[in-house]
Amino acid sequence: MNVSLPKNINFNFSSQPKSFRNPMVEVFLLLAACGLFYWFIIMPKTVEIAKQNEVLAQVTAEKAKITETVEALKEMVKNLSVNEKEIANLDEAMPLEAKALRLRMLLESLSQSVGLLVNNVNVTYGGDAPWAGSKEILAHPYSVPRSVQRLSGTVSVIGTYDQVVALIQKIEKSGRVININSVSMDSAEDGNLNIALALDAFYLGPNTTAKK
């Protein structure tokens, strides 16, 4: 028996294998990549920013408290009596002289008390005052007009985040009026941080601009 096939029939067998793509696998791989990116890139940055925001909030709150303390101390000076305890507390909080060395020793002591390694503590002010050594002022310290004057300082230490928070709390509770202006941190060895604090302290120096 003869079978005739139409001439226009085309048997086309492709040599390339058919590609099979699973959408669920592609979605899973995409989600896995996003998860790894968040875990290793985004999350460490988020934690670091959260810690810095927490320190900033503490510094801001401390600055507001310092402003209130300065105003209260000014009022204390106006109403100062002969009470020796009040005079001692006032002299500690805002002495009649700069006492930069005493402030430097205080900052070093507070840093070491919380376990921080102290790299450097620097305290600067305008230098020797023109009234330094005046017998009249030494004999009658409250007889001359006085104004709140500033010392600037920096503290460079190495330690952990918890240690720097403890240091800020110690400074807040210390008798000396100290205003922390900024706190900066970056990575150090062994999981520690390089920490730098910029701060101001105050004293009641004679007002040299006042008329005699």
Side-chain angles (χ1 to χ4, degrees), residues 10 18 20 28 31 47-48 59 65 80 106 147 149 163 187 189 200:
N10 183 18
K18 185 176 181 181
F20 293 94
F28 175 77
L31 292 175
V47 172
E48 182 178 354
V59 170
K65 291 180 180 179
L80 190 62
L106 172 64
S147 61
Q149 301 182 33
Q163 287 172 329
S187 299
E189 297 179 356
D200 290 328

Side-chain angles (χ1 to χ4, degrees), residues 2-148:
N2 294 329
V3 177
S4 299
L5 296 175
K7 295 182 179 181
N8 59 350
I9 294 179
N10 183 18
F11 296 94
N12 185 15
F13 298 96
S14 174
S15 61
Q16 297 182 352
K18 185 176 181 181
S19 176
F20 293 94
R21 300 177 63 181
N22 191 329
M24 294 299 296
V25 173
E26 292 180 353
V27 170
F28 175 77
L29 292 176
L30 180 60
L31 292 175
C34 291
L36 292 174
F37 179 80
Y38 176 80
W39 184 265
F40 290 103
I41 304 298
I42 302 299
M43 183 176 289
K45 295 293 183 182
T46 303
V47 172
E48 182 178 354
I49 291 173
K51 289 181 176 180
Q52 292 185 356
N53 288 338
E54 183 178 346
V55 172
L56 180 60
Q58 290 186 351
V59 170
T60 302
E62 173 67 13
K63 188 172 183 179
K65 291 180 180 179
I66 291 297
T67 301
E68 295 178 1
T69 303
V70 169
E71 295 301 322
L73 288 170
K74 288 180 179 179
E75 188 65 24
M76 286 177 61
V77 171
K78 293 180 181 178
N79 303 315
L80 190 62
S81 65
V82 293
N83 189 303
E84 293 181 359
K85 185 176 181 180
E86 290 181 4
I87 294 175
N89 290 338
L90 177 61
D91 186 60
E92 181 182 5
M94 193 175 295
L96 301 181
E97 298 176 9
K99 297 184 179 180
L101 179 58
R102 181 185 295 184
L103 175 61
R104 183 172 180 269
M105 293 174 63
L106 172 64
L107 293 172
E108 286 183 354
S109 176
L110 293 178
S111 299
Q112 292 170 354
S113 70
V114 297
L116 289 166
L117 176 63
V118 179
N119 278 338
N120 184 47
V121 177
N122 186 40
V123 177
T124 60
Y125 66 110
D128 293 335
W131 42 263
S134 170
K135 294 181 179 180
E136 180 182 356
I137 293 178
L138 291 175
H140 306 284
Y142 295 102
S143 64
V144 296
R146 292 180 176 271
S147 61
V148 177

